[in-house]
Amino acid sequence: TTGRPTLTETLGNVGTVRDFHVESTGKYLLAANQDGNTVTVYEIGSNGKLTAKGPPVTTVPGPQSVVVVPVPK
């Protein structure tokens, strides 16, 4: 391995992903779809494959960024 990112898949027609964020555990990626007004949560597999964890969540019109705020226990 070279340590460089490698394309392993494409997700098809997901619209314009304006921003994405990998949360602190590295298990989930959240992607803001500007055209669809949604945010989708993906689980990141051990091989890097993304699996949607449910349907996209409708947000404000044209989301442009994703911020993950830890919730204290």
Side-chain angles (χ1 to χ4, degrees), residues 11-49:
L11 296 176
N13 186 12
V14 295
T16 303
V17 176
R18 182 64 184 236
D19 189 34
F20 65 91
H21 183 87
V22 176
E23 53 77 51
S24 63
T25 68
K27 294 180 181 180
Y28 299 100
L29 179 143
L30 291 82
N33 178 350
Q34 180 178 347
D35 298 334
N37 303 324
T38 60
V39 171
T40 304
V41 178
Y42 296 94
E43 183 173 24
I44 303 171
S46 60
N47 62 355
K49 182 178 172 91

mmCIF file of all heavy atoms in Angstrom, residues 11-49:
data_model
loop_
_atom_site.group_PDB
_atom_site.id
_atom_site.type_symbol
_atom_site.label_atom_id
_atom_site.label_comp_id
_atom_site.label_asym_id
_atom_site.label_seq_id
_atom_site.Cartn_x
_atom_site.Cartn_y
_atom_site.Cartn_z
ATOM 1 N N LEU A 11 -21.014 6.400 -5.875
ATOM 2 C CA LEU A 11 -22.317 6.259 -5.230
ATOM 3 C C LEU A 11 -23.485 6.564 -6.152
ATOM 4 O O LEU A 11 -24.608 6.646 -5.722
ATOM 5 C CB LEU A 11 -22.381 7.164 -3.995
ATOM 6 C CG LEU A 11 -21.387 6.798 -2.901
ATOM 7 C CD1 LEU A 11 -21.451 7.808 -1.772
ATOM 8 C CD2 LEU A 11 -21.640 5.406 -2.381
ATOM 9 N N GLY A 12 -23.225 6.754 -7.437
ATOM 10 C CA GLY A 12 -24.317 7.015 -8.360
ATOM 11 C C GLY A 12 -24.813 8.442 -8.259
ATOM 12 O O GLY A 12 -24.076 9.351 -7.896
ATOM 13 N N ASN A 13 -26.075 8.638 -8.509
ATOM 14 C CA ASN A 13 -26.665 9.973 -8.564
ATOM 15 C C ASN A 13 -27.041 10.451 -7.163
ATOM 16 O O ASN A 13 -28.146 10.247 -6.703
ATOM 17 C CB ASN A 13 -27.891 9.970 -9.476
ATOM 18 C CG ASN A 13 -28.444 11.358 -9.683
ATOM 19 O OD1 ASN A 13 -27.803 12.342 -9.339
ATOM 20 N ND2 ASN A 13 -29.620 11.443 -10.233
ATOM 21 N N VAL A 14 -26.099 11.094 -6.487
ATOM 22 C CA VAL A 14 -26.367 11.617 -5.149
ATOM 23 C C VAL A 14 -26.493 13.142 -5.160
ATOM 24 O O VAL A 14 -26.595 13.761 -4.110
ATOM 25 C CB VAL A 14 -25.296 11.188 -4.124
ATOM 26 C CG1 VAL A 14 -25.315 9.692 -3.931
ATOM 27 C CG2 VAL A 14 -23.926 11.663 -4.532
ATOM 28 N N GLY A 15 -26.460 13.749 -6.338
ATOM 29 C CA GLY A 15 -26.578 15.205 -6.422
ATOM 30 C C GLY A 15 -25.244 15.873 -6.161
ATOM 31 O O GLY A 15 -24.185 15.278 -6.291
ATOM 32 N N THR A 16 -25.314 17.135 -5.781
ATOM 33 C CA THR A 16 -24.114 17.917 -5.514
ATOM 34 C C THR A 16 -23.744 17.816 -4.041
ATOM 35 O O THR A 16 -24.409 18.414 -3.199
ATOM 36 C CB THR A 16 -24.339 19.398 -5.888
ATOM 37 O OG1 THR A 16 -24.730 19.473 -7.247
ATOM 38 C CG2 THR A 16 -23.079 20.216 -5.668
ATOM 39 N N VAL A 17 -22.721 17.034 -3.732
ATOM 40 C CA VAL A 17 -22.251 16.943 -2.352
ATOM 41 C C VAL A 17 -21.418 18.189 -2.091
ATOM 42 O O VAL A 17 -20.328 18.354 -2.616
ATOM 43 C CB VAL A 17 -21.431 15.664 -2.105
ATOM 44 C CG1 VAL A 17 -20.876 15.649 -0.691
ATOM 45 C CG2 VAL A 17 -22.299 14.435 -2.353
ATOM 46 N N ARG A 18 -21.971 19.088 -1.302
ATOM 47 C CA ARG A 18 -21.337 20.376 -1.045
ATOM 48 C C ARG A 18 -20.279 20.283 0.054
ATOM 49 O O ARG A 18 -19.289 20.992 0.040
ATOM 50 C CB ARG A 18 -22.422 21.390 -0.663
ATOM 51 C CG ARG A 18 -21.957 22.779 -0.414
ATOM 52 C CD ARG A 18 -21.385 23.385 -1.678
ATOM 53 N NE ARG A 18 -20.845 24.682 -1.427
ATOM 54 C CZ ARG A 18 -21.192 25.771 -2.063
ATOM 55 N NH1 ARG A 18 -22.071 25.704 -3.041
ATOM 56 N NH2 ARG A 18 -20.653 26.913 -1.775
ATOM 57 N N ASP A 19 -20.499 19.381 1.017
ATOM 58 C CA ASP A 19 -19.562 19.235 2.117
ATOM 59 C C ASP A 19 -19.744 17.845 2.711
ATOM 60 O O ASP A 19 -20.802 17.231 2.573
ATOM 61 C CB ASP A 19 -19.837 20.297 3.191
ATOM 62 C CG ASP A 19 -18.772 20.351 4.280
ATOM 63 O OD1 ASP A 19 -17.584 20.112 3.972
ATOM 64 O OD2 ASP A 19 -19.120 20.632 5.436
ATOM 65 N N PHE A 20 -18.709 17.337 3.354
ATOM 66 C CA PHE A 20 -18.843 16.081 4.081
ATOM 67 C C PHE A 20 -17.953 16.147 5.312
ATOM 68 O O PHE A 20 -17.026 16.950 5.398
ATOM 69 C CB PHE A 20 -18.505 14.868 3.213
ATOM 70 C CG PHE A 20 -17.077 14.797 2.765
ATOM 71 C CD1 PHE A 20 -16.133 14.131 3.526
ATOM 72 C CD2 PHE A 20 -16.677 15.388 1.582
ATOM 73 C CE1 PHE A 20 -14.809 14.058 3.118
ATOM 74 C CE2 PHE A 20 -15.364 15.324 1.158
ATOM 75 C CZ PHE A 20 -14.429 14.655 1.930
ATOM 76 N N HIS A 21 -18.254 15.285 6.275
ATOM 77 C CA HIS A 21 -17.511 15.264 7.535
ATOM 78 C C HIS A 21 -17.444 13.832 8.041
ATOM 79 O O HIS A 21 -18.461 13.142 8.085
ATOM 80 C CB HIS A 21 -18.220 16.144 8.574
ATOM 81 C CG HIS A 21 -17.497 16.242 9.871
ATOM 82 N ND1 HIS A 21 -16.519 17.168 10.096
ATOM 83 C CD2 HIS A 21 -17.596 15.518 11.003
ATOM 84 C CE1 HIS A 21 -16.044 17.015 11.322
ATOM 85 N NE2 HIS A 21 -16.682 16.027 11.895
ATOM 86 N N VAL A 22 -16.256 13.393 8.420
ATOM 87 C CA VAL A 22 -16.099 12.102 9.086
ATOM 88 C C VAL A 22 -16.081 12.391 10.577
ATOM 89 O O VAL A 22 -15.275 13.196 11.051
ATOM 90 C CB VAL A 22 -14.799 11.401 8.655
ATOM 91 C CG1 VAL A 22 -14.600 10.106 9.440
ATOM 92 C CG2 VAL A 22 -14.810 11.127 7.154
ATOM 93 N N GLU A 23 -17.007 11.752 11.312
ATOM 94 C CA GLU A 23 -17.101 12.050 12.745
ATOM 95 C C GLU A 23 -15.921 11.439 13.488
ATOM 96 O O GLU A 23 -15.142 10.677 12.921
ATOM 97 C CB GLU A 23 -18.460 11.625 13.306
ATOM 98 C CG GLU A 23 -18.866 10.198 13.044
ATOM 99 C CD GLU A 23 -18.182 9.200 13.923
ATOM 100 O OE1 GLU A 23 -18.178 9.365 15.152
ATOM 101 O OE2 GLU A 23 -17.631 8.231 13.403
ATOM 102 N N SER A 24 -15.767 11.802 14.754
ATOM 103 C CA SER A 24 -14.537 11.541 15.505
ATOM 104 C C SER A 24 -14.142 10.072 15.652
ATOM 105 O O SER A 24 -12.964 9.770 15.796
ATOM 106 C CB SER A 24 -14.611 12.191 16.886
ATOM 107 O OG SER A 24 -15.658 11.614 17.644
ATOM 108 N N THR A 25 -15.092 9.137 15.600
ATOM 109 C CA THR A 25 -14.717 7.721 15.728
ATOM 110 C C THR A 25 -14.226 7.145 14.406
ATOM 111 O O THR A 25 -13.657 6.057 14.375
ATOM 112 C CB THR A 25 -15.897 6.857 16.213
ATOM 113 O OG1 THR A 25 -16.896 6.805 15.180
ATOM 114 C CG2 THR A 25 -16.489 7.383 17.509
ATOM 115 N N GLY A 26 -14.473 7.869 13.312
ATOM 116 C CA GLY A 26 -14.084 7.387 11.992
ATOM 117 C C GLY A 26 -15.024 6.343 11.425
ATOM 118 O O GLY A 26 -14.755 5.756 10.382
ATOM 119 N N LYS A 27 -16.157 6.115 12.094
ATOM 120 C CA LYS A 27 -17.109 5.088 11.648
ATOM 121 C C LYS A 27 -18.160 5.613 10.679
ATOM 122 O O LYS A 27 -18.759 4.838 9.939
ATOM 123 C CB LYS A 27 -17.824 4.473 12.852
ATOM 124 C CG LYS A 27 -16.915 3.690 13.767
ATOM 125 C CD LYS A 27 -17.702 3.116 14.929
ATOM 126 C CE LYS A 27 -16.801 2.348 15.859
ATOM 127 N NZ LYS A 27 -17.540 1.796 16.996
ATOM 128 N N TYR A 28 -18.400 6.930 10.703
ATOM 129 C CA TYR A 28 -19.498 7.490 9.900
ATOM 130 C C TYR A 28 -19.053 8.730 9.135
ATOM 131 O O TYR A 28 -18.267 9.537 9.636
ATOM 132 C CB TYR A 28 -20.681 7.853 10.801
ATOM 133 C CG TYR A 28 -21.232 6.672 11.527
ATOM 134 C CD1 TYR A 28 -20.893 6.432 12.850
ATOM 135 C CD2 TYR A 28 -22.074 5.765 10.894
ATOM 136 C CE1 TYR A 28 -21.373 5.325 13.525
ATOM 137 C CE2 TYR A 28 -22.567 4.661 11.559
ATOM 138 C CZ TYR A 28 -22.218 4.441 12.872
ATOM 139 O OH TYR A 28 -22.681 3.344 13.535
ATOM 140 N N LEU A 29 -19.587 8.867 7.931
ATOM 141 C CA LEU A 29 -19.390 10.053 7.110
ATOM 142 C C LEU A 29 -20.758 10.677 6.877
ATOM 143 O O LEU A 29 -21.724 9.969 6.559
ATOM 144 C CB LEU A 29 -18.759 9.664 5.770
ATOM 145 C CG LEU A 29 -18.515 10.786 4.777
ATOM 146 C CD1 LEU A 29 -17.211 10.548 4.035
ATOM 147 C CD2 LEU A 29 -19.640 10.944 3.787
ATOM 148 N N LEU A 30 -20.867 11.977 7.072
ATOM 149 C CA LEU A 30 -22.105 12.705 6.817
ATOM 150 C C LEU A 30 -21.885 13.577 5.592
ATOM 151 O O LEU A 30 -20.880 14.303 5.519
ATOM 152 C CB LEU A 30 -22.490 13.581 8.011
ATOM 153 C CG LEU A 30 -22.934 12.820 9.259
ATOM 154 C CD1 LEU A 30 -21.738 12.358 10.053
ATOM 155 C CD2 LEU A 30 -23.837 13.669 10.094
ATOM 156 N N ALA A 31 -22.784 13.506 4.621
ATOM 157 C CA ALA A 31 -22.634 14.250 3.377
ATOM 158 C C ALA A 31 -23.835 15.165 3.163
ATOM 159 O O ALA A 31 -24.985 14.719 3.223
ATOM 160 C CB ALA A 31 -22.517 13.288 2.197
ATOM 161 N N ALA A 32 -23.564 16.466 2.905
ATOM 162 C CA ALA A 32 -24.615 17.455 2.642
ATOM 163 C C ALA A 32 -24.848 17.536 1.137
ATOM 164 O O ALA A 32 -23.933 17.855 0.376
ATOM 165 C CB ALA A 32 -24.206 18.822 3.184
ATOM 166 N N ASN A 33 -26.069 17.239 0.699
ATOM 167 C CA ASN A 33 -26.446 17.280 -0.715
ATOM 168 C C ASN A 33 -27.141 18.607 -0.986
ATOM 169 O O ASN A 33 -28.303 18.793 -0.630
ATOM 170 C CB ASN A 33 -27.360 16.095 -1.046
ATOM 171 C CG ASN A 33 -27.830 16.116 -2.493
ATOM 172 O OD1 ASN A 33 -27.639 17.074 -3.221
ATOM 173 N ND2 ASN A 33 -28.461 15.036 -2.892
ATOM 174 N N GLN A 34 -26.433 19.521 -1.616
ATOM 175 C CA GLN A 34 -26.952 20.865 -1.865
ATOM 176 C C GLN A 34 -28.212 20.851 -2.728
ATOM 177 O O GLN A 34 -29.164 21.570 -2.450
ATOM 178 C CB GLN A 34 -25.879 21.718 -2.540
ATOM 179 C CG GLN A 34 -26.323 23.129 -2.830
ATOM 180 C CD GLN A 34 -25.210 23.952 -3.461
ATOM 181 O OE1 GLN A 34 -24.065 23.569 -3.467
ATOM 182 N NE2 GLN A 34 -25.574 25.086 -3.980
ATOM 183 N N ASP A 35 -28.242 20.039 -3.775
ATOM 184 C CA ASP A 35 -29.388 20.027 -4.691
ATOM 185 C C ASP A 35 -30.614 19.343 -4.101
ATOM 186 O O ASP A 35 -31.742 19.709 -4.389
ATOM 187 C CB ASP A 35 -29.017 19.339 -6.005
ATOM 188 C CG ASP A 35 -27.901 20.054 -6.741
ATOM 189 O OD1 ASP A 35 -27.750 21.277 -6.549
ATOM 190 O OD2 ASP A 35 -27.174 19.395 -7.499
ATOM 191 N N GLY A 36 -30.388 18.327 -3.267
ATOM 192 C CA GLY A 36 -31.501 17.577 -2.705
ATOM 193 C C GLY A 36 -31.980 18.080 -1.361
ATOM 194 O O GLY A 36 -32.944 17.557 -0.807
ATOM 195 N N ASN A 37 -31.285 19.099 -0.813
ATOM 196 C CA ASN A 37 -31.648 19.641 0.499
ATOM 197 C C ASN A 37 -31.646 18.566 1.583
ATOM 198 O O ASN A 37 -32.528 18.522 2.433
ATOM 199 C CB ASN A 37 -33.009 20.342 0.453
ATOM 200 C CG ASN A 37 -33.046 21.442 -0.585
ATOM 201 O OD1 ASN A 37 -32.061 22.138 -0.795
ATOM 202 N ND2 ASN A 37 -34.169 21.587 -1.244
ATOM 203 N N THR A 38 -30.642 17.696 1.525
ATOM 204 C CA THR A 38 -30.588 16.577 2.469
ATOM 205 C C THR A 38 -29.182 16.387 3.016
ATOM 206 O O THR A 38 -28.202 16.884 2.460
ATOM 207 C CB THR A 38 -31.007 15.253 1.797
ATOM 208 O OG1 THR A 38 -30.119 14.983 0.709
ATOM 209 C CG2 THR A 38 -32.441 15.287 1.304
ATOM 210 N N VAL A 39 -29.107 15.627 4.107
ATOM 211 C CA VAL A 39 -27.844 15.114 4.634
ATOM 212 C C VAL A 39 -28.008 13.601 4.732
ATOM 213 O O VAL A 39 -29.029 13.109 5.213
ATOM 214 C CB VAL A 39 -27.506 15.712 6.019
ATOM 215 C CG1 VAL A 39 -26.309 15.012 6.646
ATOM 216 C CG2 VAL A 39 -27.261 17.206 5.907
ATOM 217 N N THR A 40 -27.002 12.869 4.261
ATOM 218 C CA THR A 40 -27.030 11.416 4.331
ATOM 219 C C THR A 40 -25.898 10.943 5.220
ATOM 220 O O THR A 40 -24.787 11.454 5.152
ATOM 221 C CB THR A 40 -26.873 10.794 2.921
ATOM 222 O OG1 THR A 40 -27.903 11.308 2.073
ATOM 223 C CG2 THR A 40 -26.983 9.279 2.966
ATOM 224 N N VAL A 41 -26.204 9.956 6.076
ATOM 225 C CA VAL A 41 -25.206 9.358 6.953
ATOM 226 C C VAL A 41 -24.783 8.028 6.337
ATOM 227 O O VAL A 41 -25.627 7.198 6.000
ATOM 228 C CB VAL A 41 -25.768 9.122 8.376
ATOM 229 C CG1 VAL A 41 -24.724 8.443 9.264
ATOM 230 C CG2 VAL A 41 -26.233 10.436 8.984
ATOM 231 N N TYR A 42 -23.468 7.853 6.188
ATOM 232 C CA TYR A 42 -22.907 6.612 5.661
ATOM 233 C C TYR A 42 -22.024 5.979 6.717
ATOM 234 O O TYR A 42 -21.274 6.665 7.413
ATOM 235 C CB TYR A 42 -22.040 6.880 4.427
ATOM 236 C CG TYR A 42 -22.793 7.427 3.247
ATOM 237 C CD1 TYR A 42 -22.873 8.788 3.030
ATOM 238 C CD2 TYR A 42 -23.413 6.571 2.350
ATOM 239 C CE1 TYR A 42 -23.559 9.298 1.945
ATOM 240 C CE2 TYR A 42 -24.108 7.070 1.258
ATOM 241 C CZ TYR A 42 -24.177 8.437 1.055
ATOM 242 O OH TYR A 42 -24.860 8.941 -0.013
ATOM 243 N N GLU A 43 -22.100 4.650 6.827
ATOM 244 C CA GLU A 43 -21.150 3.913 7.654
ATOM 245 C C GLU A 43 -19.920 3.640 6.791
ATOM 246 O O GLU A 43 -20.047 3.287 5.622
ATOM 247 C CB GLU A 43 -21.760 2.603 8.135
ATOM 248 C CG GLU A 43 -20.852 1.834 9.062
ATOM 249 C CD GLU A 43 -21.550 0.614 9.649
ATOM 250 O OE1 GLU A 43 -22.500 0.107 9.045
ATOM 251 O OE2 GLU A 43 -21.118 0.190 10.722
ATOM 252 N N ILE A 44 -18.733 3.808 7.369
ATOM 253 C CA ILE A 44 -17.492 3.552 6.645
ATOM 254 C C ILE A 44 -17.017 2.154 7.009
ATOM 255 O O ILE A 44 -16.682 1.887 8.168
ATOM 256 C CB ILE A 44 -16.412 4.588 7.009
ATOM 257 C CG1 ILE A 44 -16.912 6.008 6.733
ATOM 258 C CG2 ILE A 44 -15.121 4.298 6.237
ATOM 259 C CD1 ILE A 44 -15.997 7.095 7.262
ATOM 260 N N GLY A 45 -17.018 1.248 6.034
ATOM 261 C CA GLY A 45 -16.582 -0.123 6.283
ATOM 262 C C GLY A 45 -15.080 -0.218 6.466
ATOM 263 O O GLY A 45 -14.334 0.717 6.148
ATOM 264 N N SER A 46 -14.604 -1.346 6.949
ATOM 265 C CA SER A 46 -13.168 -1.542 7.171
ATOM 266 C C SER A 46 -12.369 -1.460 5.870
ATOM 267 O O SER A 46 -11.182 -1.170 5.888
ATOM 268 C CB SER A 46 -12.914 -2.877 7.863
ATOM 269 O OG SER A 46 -13.398 -3.947 7.059
ATOM 270 N N ASN A 47 -13.057 -1.694 4.735
ATOM 271 C CA ASN A 47 -12.409 -1.595 3.432
ATOM 272 C C ASN A 47 -12.614 -0.219 2.787
ATOM 273 O O ASN A 47 -12.239 -0.012 1.640
ATOM 274 C CB ASN A 47 -12.928 -2.689 2.500
ATOM 275 C CG ASN A 47 -14.421 -2.563 2.255
ATOM 276 O OD1 ASN A 47 -15.101 -1.729 2.842
ATOM 277 N ND2 ASN A 47 -14.945 -3.414 1.384
ATOM 278 N N GLY A 48 -13.259 0.707 3.523
ATOM 279 C CA GLY A 48 -13.510 2.050 3.006
ATOM 280 C C GLY A 48 -14.838 2.208 2.288
ATOM 281 O O GLY A 48 -15.220 3.309 1.921
ATOM 282 N N LYS A 49 -15.565 1.109 2.095
ATOM 283 C CA LYS A 49 -16.851 1.167 1.408
ATOM 284 C C LYS A 49 -17.872 1.926 2.255
ATOM 285 O O LYS A 49 -17.950 1.739 3.464
ATOM 286 C CB LYS A 49 -17.350 -0.242 1.124
ATOM 287 C CG LYS A 49 -18.660 -0.282 0.358
ATOM 288 C CD LYS A 49 -19.059 -1.718 0.069
ATOM 289 C CE LYS A 49 -20.445 -1.769 -0.508
ATOM 290 N NZ LYS A 49 -20.489 -1.706 -1.943
#
